[in-house]
Amino acid sequence: MRFVINCFIFLSFFSVFSQSVPDFEAVDSLYREDQFYFGVTYNILQKRPLGITQNKFSPSFSIGFLRDMPINKTRNRAFAVGLGYSLNSYNQNILISDNNGTPVYNSIQDGTLFDTNKLSLHSIDLPIEYRWRTSVPNTHKFWRIYTGFKLSYMFYTQSKYEDSQTSYLVTGNPDINKFQYGTYLSVGYNTVNFNIYYGLNPIFKSAEINGRAIEMNSLNFGFMFYIL
C-alpha cells in the first residue's frame, strides 16, 4: 500500500513539474522586431562651393537601438523609434583655422601637400521610421523596407588640419548646425541591408568661403546591419 501511495505522489509531482516547464518552441504571435543596428556608410558632400572637392574616403559609423511597435494583426507593418550615436567624417579641401575664437575658412589650393584635413561630427541620433517586412513569428530572416526621419544633435565637432609646418585644431565650431535632420531608407534581407540618408538642412548655419555661403549638406549611402 505504501508503494502505491509513493507512486501516486511521484506521478502527481511529475505532472505538476511538467506543466510548469515553459515551451521554448512555442510561436510568439505577439513578437516585436526590437533591434540593435550598426551602420557603415560613405559621405558625399552636396552643394559644394566652387573649387571645393572631397579627397580620400569619408566614412560614417552609427550604432543604436530601435523599439518596434507593430500596427496590424500580422505584425508585418510597424513604426519604430530609437536612440543612437553617429560619427561622420568628411575629408575635403576646406581649411578651417581659428582667429581669436572665430573660425576662418579658406580653400586649399591644388598641389598643396598636407597630411590631414578632416571635419568630424559626433552626434546623438533620434530615428523614427515606418516599417514594412515579410516577417513571421518563427524566423528572423525576412525582406524589409524601412523608411524614416532622423534628428541628430551634434554634441562634439572637430576640424583638424596638418601639414609639414602647420597644424590647426578647431573644436566646438559655432558655425555648425547643432541640430541636423534628414530622411533615410533601408532595404534588404536578414541582417545586411542597403541604406541611404539625405540631409535636409546644411551642415554649416553661418560660414562663408571666398565670399560665398557654405550650404553643403550630406548624402550617405552604405550598409545597415540589424541584430536582434
Side-chain angles (χ1 to χ4, degrees):
M1 184 67 179
R2 180 178 296 176
F3 175 77
V4 174
I5 294 174
N6 288 338
C7 289
F8 177 77
I9 294 173
F10 173 77
L11 291 173
S12 299
F13 173 79
F14 181 79
S15 176
V16 172
F17 177 78
S18 63
Q19 291 177 10
S20 65
V21 175
D23 183 0
F24 292 104
E25 296 183 356
V27 174
D28 180 12
S29 61
L30 299 179
Y31 70 96
R32 294 176 181 270
E33 294 294 342
D34 296 337
Q35 293 158 329
F36 290 96
Y37 66 86
F38 174 71
V40 181
T41 58
Y42 174 68
N43 293 327
I44 300 177
L45 290 169
Q46 304 292 296
K47 302 178 183 179
R48 297 189 299 266
L50 185 65
I52 300 304
T53 60
Q54 287 186 248
N55 52 72
K56 299 182 181 179
F57 184 70
S58 296
S60 172
F61 303 98
S62 60
I63 189 171
F65 179 78
L66 285 157
R67 175 65 169 175
D68 191 73
M69 295 173 284
I71 58 175
N72 64 338
K73 186 176 181 179
T74 56
R75 307 179 83 79
N76 62 348
R77 306 287 190 276
F79 286 103
V81 61
L83 184 66
Y85 160 80
S86 292
L87 167 60
N88 288 279
S89 298
Y90 302 92
N91 291 290
Q92 29 67 48
N93 65 338
I94 298 178
L95 171 59
I96 305 176
S97 57
D98 181 85
N99 182 15
N100 295 322
T102 301
V104 178
Y105 305 87
N106 291 284
S107 59
I108 300 174
Q109 300 301 312
D110 291 341
T112 302
L113 298 178
F114 60 91
D115 300 315
T116 301
N117 188 58
K118 180 169 65 175
L119 174 64
S120 301
L121 307 178
H122 300 257
S123 67
I124 297 296
D125 302 326
L126 177 64
I128 302 172
E129 64 187 31
Y130 172 75
R131 299 177 149 196
W132 175 90
R133 62 214 177 197
T134 61
S135 62
V136 291
N138 57 352
T139 181
H140 300 309
K141 297 180 180 180
F142 52 85
W143 290 97
R144 61 165 59 85
I145 299 176
Y146 295 168
T147 182
F149 175 87
K150 183 172 70 174
L151 175 66
S152 300
Y153 173 72
M154 306 295 136
F155 68 90
Y156 181 76
T157 66
Q158 174 184 285
S159 57
K160 184 177 181 179
Y161 172 85
E162 288 183 348
D163 61 25
S164 59
Q165 299 179 336
T166 309
S167 65
Y168 298 106
L169 181 65
V170 178
T171 60
N173 189 336
D175 292 336
I176 293 177
N177 269 314
K178 284 285 189 181
F179 290 96
Q180 297 181 23
Y181 51 88
T183 61
Y184 64 90
L185 175 70
S186 291
V187 179
Y189 178 78
N190 198 10
T191 302
V192 182
N193 299 265
F194 176 77
N195 179 267
I196 185 168
Y197 167 88
Y198 185 78
L200 296 176
N201 67 327
I203 296 173
F204 292 91
K205 61 182 178 182
S206 57
E208 292 185 354
I209 184 168
N210 301 325
R212 295 186 177 184
I214 304 176
E215 299 177 335
M216 300 183 301
N217 62 329
S218 184
L219 171 65
N220 304 4
F221 65 90
F223 294 98
M224 187 68 70
F225 304 89
Y226 294 103
I227 304 170
L228 292 177

